[in-house]
Amino acid sequence: MLKQYIIVFLISMVPLIELRGAVPYAIANGLPVLPSYIIAIIGNMIPVPIIFFFARKVLEWGKDKPVIGGFFTFCLEKGHKGGEKLKEKAGKGLYWALFLFVGIPLPGTGAWTGTLAASILDMDFKKSVTATVCGVILAGIIMGSGTKIIMLISSLF
């Protein structure tokens, strides 16, 4: 069982998959929900400070490099444009927008992307992490409930 918990932890750290893949994996493999959920949240949140403080610096460092420069510049420009639009629309509700962005499990959203956006937007670290943690918790509830419902329905057939 320890091996499966380690797998849940590692899956939750993978970009784009994150907790959204770890929770269904745990439930599908018969692991207890609450410990799996907690492990997935911890695993999903470990990269957040690193992303917040260093990802933007790495992108800025690499934007003028020969092979990676175009992609890094694209990422920075996309982040700035998207961030400005989000600031415009969300106004004072920027942290709520970040919470919903991370919390609603859609492709391309999650703690990694949300934290990178918060970093590019120069948002407050503590408020950003709080919004991200709450979003990860919401995503876990949605994914866990959805997985349980799907498994229940499939067991009827």
Side-chain angles (χ1 to χ4, degrees):
M1 187 180 290
L2 177 62
K3 180 182 175 185
Q4 287 184 315
Y5 281 131
I6 291 170
I7 292 171
V8 168
F9 180 78
L10 294 174
I11 290 172
S12 68
M13 293 179 76
V14 176
L16 300 176
I17 299 173
E18 303 180 30
L19 168 132
R20 298 143 196 257
V23 169
Y25 170 85
I27 292 171
N29 284 288
L31 292 173
V33 175
L34 187 59
S36 300
Y37 182 61
I38 292 168
I39 289 168
I41 290 170
I42 293 168
N44 201 175
M45 291 306 298
I46 284 177
V48 166
I50 297 163
I51 295 165
F52 189 88
F53 290 116
F54 298 110
R56 179 177 171 184
K57 290 178 182 177
V58 169
L59 290 172
E60 288 175 354
W61 167 83
K63 69 182 178 186
D64 60 351
K65 302 296 183 253
V67 176
I68 57 175
F71 177 71
F72 281 29
T73 301
F74 168 78
C75 290
L76 283 169
E77 288 174 358
K78 184 93 169 150
H80 282 292
K81 286 178 186 175
E84 291 306 315
K85 286 181 185 176
L86 183 62
K87 273 185 180 178
E88 228 175 79
K89 290 180 182 178
K92 293 184 179 184
L94 190 58
Y95 293 97
W96 284 105
L98 178 61
F99 159 70
L100 292 173
F101 179 81
V102 173
I104 298 173
L106 296 171
T109 67
W112 281 71
T113 310
T115 303
L116 181 58
S119 174
I120 289 174
L121 291 173
D122 292 320
M123 293 172 70
D124 178 70
F125 175 71
K126 289 181 182 177
K127 290 179 182 178
S128 299
V129 169
T130 302
T132 302
V133 168
C134 293
V136 166
I137 290 168
L138 175 62
I141 291 169
I142 293 169
M143 292 305 297
S145 301
T147 302
K148 284 285 196 181
I149 291 168
I150 289 169
M151 289 180 70
L152 178 67
I153 291 170
S154 67
S155 71
L156 297 174
F157 296 105

